[in-house]
Amino acid sequence: MVRFRLVVTIRWWVYPLIELAKFNLFIGIPVDTDRLAQIIAKHGLKIKFKAE
């Protein structure tokens, strides 16, 4: 029986980008959260299936 493991790698720039968005919200600058989530999902995550 083959088992699969899901491996998600988060790129180095994702956490600082989220912190910047939180800071911008704190000081009153609007943040497009839908666009932010779209950018992170498209460019900031690497998803792999590994067979065990």
Side-chain angles (χ1 to χ4, degrees), residues 22-42:
K22 287 172 25 180
F23 177 73
N24 285 348
L25 285 171
F26 176 73
I27 62 173
I29 298 173
V31 175
D32 185 357
T33 53
D34 291 333
R35 180 77 176 129
L36 182 65
Q38 196 177 43
I39 290 170
I40 292 171
K42 187 173 182 182

